[in-house]
Amino acid sequence: QVQLVESGGASVQASGSLRLSCAVFGGSIRGNTVYWYRQAPGTQRTWVATITGSGLTHYVDFVKDRFAVSREDAENTVFLQLSNLRPEDTAMYYCQTTFGTAENSRDYWGQGTQVTVSA
């Protein structure tokens, strides 16, 4: 049974930093693309960042130069470094990846970790 577990969320002041972790159990992330999303209260979940199996990264425009995604396959963990945080970054942060074959795949999500940024 695959399970994703996020951690590292906290309450911080604006301009602060946090490092979020996404630990994957029950499956190897080696070669997998992993995504980070976030969801603020009353809004839809939105994509934030991606790291491919080869380590290529992509970010939504409003977090570029402030967030950095990385991976440590030996630890089966993906990280999201949040810097220069703003109140509008307040949200639940989720990681997601897919396991299976092209004919039979399934998306897996973690339970989320809360980031709260005060002015």
Coordinates of all heavy atoms in Angstrom, one line a residue, residues 38-46 88 90-92 94 114:
R38 N -1.0 23.2 -3.4 CA -1.5 23.8 -2.2 C -2.9 24.2 -2.3 O -3.5 24.4 -3.4 CB -0.6 25.0 -1.8 CG -0.8 26.2 -2.7 CD 0.2 27.3 -2.3 NE 0.0 28.6 -3.0 CZ 0.8 29.6 -2.9 NH1 1.9 29.5 -2.1 NH2 0.5 30.7 -3.5
Q39 N -3.6 24.3 -1.2 CA -5.0 24.7 -1.1 C -5.3 25.6 0.1 O -5.1 25.1 1.2 CB -5.9 23.4 -1.1 CG -7.4 23.7 -1.2 CD -8.2 22.5 -1.4 OE1 -7.8 21.4 -1.1 NE2 -9.4 22.6 -1.9
A40 N -5.7 26.8 -0.2 CA -6.1 27.7 0.8 C -7.6 27.5 1.1 O -8.3 27.1 0.2 CB -5.8 29.2 0.4
P41 N -8.0 27.9 2.3 CA -9.5 27.7 2.6 C -10.4 28.4 1.6 O -10.1 29.6 1.2 CB -9.6 28.4 4.0 CG -8.2 28.3 4.6 CD -7.3 28.4 3.4
G42 N -11.4 27.7 1.1 CA -12.3 28.3 0.2 C -11.9 28.4 -1.2 O -12.5 29.0 -2.0
T43 N -10.7 27.8 -1.5 CA -10.2 27.8 -2.9 C -9.9 26.4 -3.4 O -9.9 25.5 -2.6 CB -8.9 28.7 -3.0 OG1 -7.8 27.9 -2.3 CG2 -9.0 30.0 -2.3
Q44 N -9.7 26.3 -4.7 CA -9.3 25.1 -5.3 C -7.9 24.7 -5.1 O -7.0 25.6 -4.9 CB -9.6 25.1 -6.8 CG -11.1 25.1 -7.1 CD -11.4 24.8 -8.6 OE1 -10.6 25.2 -9.4 NE2 -12.5 24.3 -8.9
R45 N -7.6 23.4 -5.1 CA -6.2 23.0 -5.0 C -5.5 23.4 -6.2 O -6.0 23.2 -7.4 CB -6.1 21.5 -4.8 CG -4.8 21.0 -4.4 CD -4.9 19.5 -4.0 NE -5.8 19.3 -2.9 CZ -5.9 18.1 -2.3 NH1 -5.2 17.0 -2.7 NH2 -6.7 18.0 -1.2
T46 N -4.3 24.0 -6.1 CA -3.5 24.5 -7.3 C -2.1 23.9 -7.3 O -1.5 23.7 -6.2 CB -3.4 26.1 -7.3 OG1 -2.8 26.5 -6.1 CG2 -4.8 26.7 -7.4
E88 N 0.0 35.3 1.7 CA -0.8 34.6 0.7 C -0.3 33.2 0.4 O -0.9 32.5 -0.4 CB -0.8 35.5 -0.6 CG 0.5 35.8 -1.2 CD 1.0 37.2 -0.8 OE1 0.7 37.6 0.4 OE2 1.6 37.9 -1.6
T90 N -0.1 31.1 2.7 CA -0.8 30.3 3.7 C -1.8 29.3 3.0 O -2.6 29.7 2.2 CB -1.7 31.2 4.7 OG1 -0.8 32.0 5.4 CG2 -2.5 30.4 5.6
A91 N -1.6 28.0 3.3 CA -2.4 27.0 2.7 C -2.0 25.6 3.2 O -1.0 25.5 3.9 CB -2.1 27.0 1.2
M92 N -2.7 24.6 2.9 CA -2.3 23.2 3.1 C -1.5 22.8 1.9 O -2.0 23.0 0.8 CB -3.6 22.4 3.3 CG -3.3 20.9 3.7 SD -2.8 20.8 5.5 CE -4.4 20.9 6.2
Y94 N 0.3 19.8 -0.3 CA 0.1 18.4 -0.6 C 1.2 17.9 -1.6 O 1.5 18.7 -2.6 CB -1.2 18.1 -1.2 CG -2.4 18.4 -0.3 CD1 -3.0 19.7 -0.4 CD2 -2.9 17.5 0.6 CE1 -4.1 20.0 0.4 CE2 -4.0 17.8 1.3 CZ -4.6 19.1 1.3 OH -5.7 19.4 2.0
Q114 N 0.2 21.9 7.0 CA -0.3 23.3 7.0 C 0.8 24.3 7.1 O 1.6 24.2 8.0 CB -1.3 23.4 8.2 CG -1.9 24.8 8.3 CD -2.8 25.2 7.2 OE1 -3.6 24.5 6.7 NE2 -2.6 26.5 6.7

